[in-house]
Amino acid sequence: DAKTTQPNSMESNEEEPVHLPCNHSTISGTDYIHWYRQLPSQGPEYVIHGLTSNVNNRMASLAIAEDRKSSTLILHRATLRDAAVYYCILRDGGNTPLVFGKGTRLSVIA
Amino acid sequence: GAGVSQSPSNKVTEKGKDVELRCDPISGHTALYWYRQSLGQGLEFLIYFQGNSAPDKSGLPSDRFSAERTGGSVSTLTIQRTQQEDSAVYLCASSSNANRVSLFGSGTRLTVV
């Protein structure tokens, strides 16, 4: 799988938007961009994924650069429950295993 | 069930004993994965089952580790002659061919004493 680069940690105030960046300069044309998060003492949880167009769901939005070499996960209003490690992962169009990097540890301050 | 179920949730075993960890994937999911996460570390892929194909065992750390998936559903991860370094949370996930979303269980916390 192609590699992604994320900041080690970020901090946000509660009820403010959070933009979590991810660089993936070696992405291939068939790689999907996936985001998962892991809350403390839990298994990873799917957040969102996309290929080329920006995506929205009830949890977050995914903004994908036109050249697809970077993307940004947007949490519109951070809550304390959003404190977690967020992983940006490239995956081909099949069901191949996710390859987790170190992710970004998001802290949310009340 | 509604999600991926793993049992037991916690297991304490003595060094040298064998352990079996169970995963019940979501019904109809053809892909099943095992990962482990040592304390404070990242998620490490272990093994991947896809339908009736031969499993991808490339992540298994040693020949003490093996896994089976019976009838395309339940999977068992077996660790023989456990060592202290095997202590970790073992996570199972499954996904369908219809989308590209992996759903994870809550994991089994294994402690080898």
Side-chain angles (χ1 to χ4, degrees), chain B residues 9-28:
Chain B
S9 54
N10 281 285
K11 175 74 176 177
V12 180
T13 190
E14 291 182 354
K15 179 180 170 182
K17 301 276 190 183
D18 297 354
V19 294
E20 285 191 350
L21 312 179
R22 177 186 169 105
C23 173
D24 280 276
I26 292 171
S27 178

Side-chain angles (χ1 to χ4, degrees), chain A residues 20-98:
Chain A
L20 296 163
C22 181
N23 287 321
H24 28 79
S25 58
T26 58
I27 190 171
S28 75
T30 55
D31 283 333
Y32 285 74
I33 302 157
H34 287 248
W35 285 82
Y36 283 74
R37 71 180 185 181
Q38 188 172 23
L39 278 65
S41 302
Q42 294 188 28
E45 173 186 33
Y46 168 78
V47 178
I48 201 167
H49 76 284
L51 183 62
T52 56
S53 303
N54 294 344
V55 185
N56 299 296
N57 67 21
R58 63 175 181 79
M59 289 181 72
S61 295
L62 176 60
I64 301 173
E66 198 169 332
D67 65 5
R68 301 212 320 130
K69 294 186 176 183
S70 65
S71 60
T72 303
L73 179 70
I74 302 165
L75 307 179
H76 296 287
R77 252 177 111 233
T79 69
L80 296 177
R81 195 199 170 274
D82 292 321
V85 179
Y86 286 79
Y87 298 96
C88 169
I89 302 169
L90 301 184
R91 190 188 210 182
D92 65 22
N95 267 329
T96 53
L98 297 165

Side-chain angles (χ1 to χ4, degrees), chain B residues 7 17 22 44 46 65-66 68 75 95-96 102-104:
Chain B
S7 60
K17 301 276 190 183
R22 177 186 169 105
E44 176 188 6
L46 297 177
F65 288 71
S66 63
E68 289 186 341
S75 178
S95 58
S96 72
S102 290
L103 299 175
F104 284 79

